[in-house]
Amino acid sequence: MKLTDQQCKNANVPSSGITLLSDGGGLYLEIRANGSKYWRMKYTSPITKKQVTFHLGTYPELNLKTARMECSKARLLITSGIDPKEEKQANKTQQHENRINTFETIARKWHTDRAKHPDKWTPDHASRVIRSLELHVFPYLGKRPIAEIMPLEVLDVLKQIEQAGKYDTAHKVYDVVNQVFSYAVVLRLCVFNPASELRRELAQVKQKPFPHITDPKEIGELLRRIDGYGGTIQVRTLLQISPYVFTRPSELRLIKWAEIDFQAALWRKEETEMKNGIPHLVPLSRQVIALLEQMKPFTGHYEYVFYNKSTGKPLSDNAANKAMHRLGYQGIATPHGFRHTASTNLNEMDYNRDWIEYQLAHKEKNSSRDSYNFAKYLDSRAKMLQEWADYLDGLKQQAA
């Protein structure tokens, strides 16, 4: 006979032991001597074929009507060949994992795994990636279980960045977030990647070149100002060498004495030190060799050529940029802009385009030429760089 709410409420509490009130279908109310009342259900497990007692909840928190609904749900699972007790335990485990596997937890694990491999990331790049997550993503998605995050939540974060006018940043953050979710999918912490189709929702960004100058007269004036820079010799020499070699600023800033072959007038960068992950050989003009020789008394006993004694580290990213600002070139020219200056002028001077591209360490886009030969055109590039250095010196003298 079915129970009523009144029977459940007014059921006598046994002086000892347990009283069971059956509602049928395996559902019953268990009443204990301390007054506690528990809804339980007995069934045969479809998996083990053994009798199982399943706890549904406590009365009156779980009333009679709700207890019957929970019992019906359990019966449906059994009919489908699922043991409701095991299913409940699995759900608890999943909920626990969700609490542990937040976006921030998994993102930091992904970052640590990537940063362990210098062939994938330089230390500077690793630092920029985690800082980007900390600024733009963790405050909004950091504490969310990564398995529960939906595409619209990710898009909201990216749109907030766009609304601040940081369109390029939004694309960079997207790339990072997309990689984190792909990593989580591989680890089976996510069923799908909610960021995978969001790139098309972002505003298109036209890449702008770094501020640079190409007019010969203006180049000569800039070089004269650099020679007269009154800051530290490390920063001044860094700026003086930059236009001669036109490597990426981070590559020059982190140049090591061990990478320089003075006799062969070559600077060898290992793949772990390069943005594109490809080793690179830079021929050194007489002017660059002289400037490096000039640095030996100051930093020759350290690992890095441009070593900052006050911090115990190489010069910071901003050291050269700040110097350019002090020279009056903010928004006009940057250390990275020397690459554009050289590329534009050398092409106009009819130097072989391949020599220029190899000197810029641009990765081959043609898949049939992926086996990049870092020593290719070395003699031709050495001749080109010496002529370029002589040309720059000529511009500097004309500006005097």
Side-chain angles (χ1 to χ4, degrees):
M1 186 175 177
K2 292 286 186 182
L3 292 172
T4 65
D5 284 319
Q6 200 67 21
Q7 285 177 310
C8 295
K9 181 178 180 181
N10 298 328
N12 293 325
V13 175
S15 57
S16 62
I18 297 173
T19 297
L20 304 180
L21 299 179
S22 175
D23 188 59
L27 176 65
Y28 63 91
L29 185 65
E30 177 183 295
I31 307 168
R32 298 192 175 187
N34 62 4
S36 299
K37 299 177 181 179
Y38 303 100
W39 289 110
R40 303 199 187 280
M41 172 186 173
K42 282 192 176 180
Y43 64 91
T44 300
S45 170
I47 299 172
T48 64
K49 308 302 180 184
K50 293 182 179 179
Q51 192 79 1
V52 177
T53 300
F54 183 33
H55 174 70
L56 298 177
T58 304
Y59 181 87
E61 288 77 16
L62 191 72
N63 61 31
L64 176 59
K65 182 178 180 181
T66 307
R68 286 171 177 166
M69 289 175 60
E70 292 300 316
C71 182
S72 296
K73 290 178 185 178
R75 287 291 173 198
L76 284 173
L77 289 174
I78 294 167
T79 302
S80 302
I82 299 170
D83 189 316
K85 190 171 185 179
E86 291 186 8
E87 180 73 4
K88 184 176 182 180
Q89 186 58 45
N91 288 338
K92 282 184 177 179
T93 301
Q94 185 62 56
Q95 289 170 8
H96 176 68
E97 288 179 356
N98 285 349
R99 285 194 296 272
I100 294 174
N101 296 326
T102 63
F103 180 87
E104 181 172 351
T105 301
I106 302 308
R108 289 190 182 278
K109 180 173 174 23
W110 165 78
H111 180 269
T112 300
D113 286 351
R114 296 279 294 187
K116 284 178 182 176
H117 303 283
D119 57 321
K120 294 180 180 178
W121 282 355
T122 64
D124 276 356
H125 182 71
S127 178
R128 286 193 297 271
V129 168
I130 197 64
R131 183 64 179 150
S132 177
L133 286 167
E134 290 170 346
L135 283 175
H136 302 295
V137 186
F138 290 166
Y140 308 100
L141 299 179
K143 297 186 184 304
R144 294 275 288 118
I146 197 166
E148 297 178 7
I149 296 174
M150 293 290 109
L152 280 179
E153 294 178 79
V154 181
L155 187 59
D156 283 345
V157 172
L158 299 172
K159 288 298 181 182
Q160 284 186 58
I161 301 171
E162 285 192 338
Q163 287 166 12
K166 300 177 180 179
Y167 299 102
D168 187 50
T169 300
H171 279 267
K172 290 178 180 178
V173 170
Y174 167 79
D175 288 336
V176 172
V177 170
N178 187 43
Q179 290 180 63
V180 172
F181 279 116
S182 294
Y183 176 79
V185 170
V186 170
L187 295 182
R188 298 188 177 181
L189 301 175
C190 280
V191 176
F192 72 106
N193 178 350
S196 62
E197 301 297 325
L198 296 181
R199 186 184 294 280
R200 68 187 69 177
E201 304 299 329
L202 300 178
Q204 294 301 307
V205 179
K206 186 176 180 181
Q207 294 295 330
K208 295 181 180 179
F210 288 87
H212 62 285
I213 56 179
T214 56
D215 180 80
K217 185 176 180 180
E218 292 178 1
I219 295 172
E221 178 59 29
L222 171 57
L223 297 178
R224 280 180 55 79
R225 290 196 189 185
I226 288 174
D227 283 352
Y229 177 67
T232 65
I233 187 172
Q234 287 97 322
V235 175
R236 182 172 68 249
T237 306
L238 175 64
L239 287 178
Q240 288 174 316
I241 292 177
S242 294
Y244 289 134
V245 296
F246 50 90
T247 57
R248 296 177 182 88
S250 61
E251 293 160 7
L252 181 57
R253 178 176 64 84
L254 298 174
I255 185 174
K256 300 174 183 177
W257 288 110
E259 296 172 347
I260 304 167
D261 184 338
F262 282 92
Q263 186 173 356
L266 284 174
W267 165 26
R268 183 188 185 102
K269 295 292 288 186
E270 299 295 337
E271 62 270 21
T272 55
E273 303 290 332
M274 297 293 292
K275 178 183 178 181
N276 59 15
I278 297 174
H280 189 42
L281 273 179
V282 181
L284 302 177
S285 63
R286 293 187 301 273
Q287 290 88 333
V288 174
I289 291 292
L291 287 166
L292 290 170
E293 291 283 2
Q294 175 185 301
M295 284 298 300
K296 280 185 177 180
F298 297 93
T299 62
H301 50 297
Y302 294 108
E303 180 181 10
Y304 293 94
V305 174
F306 300 111
Y307 183 79
N308 187 339
K309 297 176 185 179
S310 62
T311 63
K313 299 177 181 178
L315 291 179
S316 69
D317 312 16
N318 290 324
N321 284 321
K322 288 180 179 177
M324 293 289 282
H325 294 174
R326 294 192 188 103
L327 290 171
Y329 284 88
Q330 184 171 2
I332 300 172
T334 64
H336 202 291
F338 287 129
R339 290 169 62 77
H340 300 281
T341 298
S343 177
T344 300
N345 284 272
L346 287 170
N347 275 292
E348 289 179 355
M349 294 159 72
D350 289 329
Y351 280 94
N352 185 301
R353 184 177 178 276
D354 283 344
W355 301 355
I356 299 168
E357 290 299 298
Y358 265 74
Q359 190 53 44
L360 290 166
H362 284 163
K363 198 170 186 177
E364 275 291 344
K365 295 180 180 179
N366 188 334
S367 59
S368 67
R369 297 173 67 186
D370 272 345
S371 54
Y372 181 98
N373 180 358
F374 61 90
K376 196 170 185 180
Y377 307 122
L378 188 59
D379 291 341
S380 299
R381 288 192 286 124
K383 183 174 183 292
M384 178 181 71
L385 284 182
Q386 185 57 61
E387 291 173 355
W388 172 247
D390 294 339
Y391 171 73
L392 292 180
D393 284 358
L395 295 181
K396 186 163 48 175
Q397 290 168 11
Q398 291 172 22

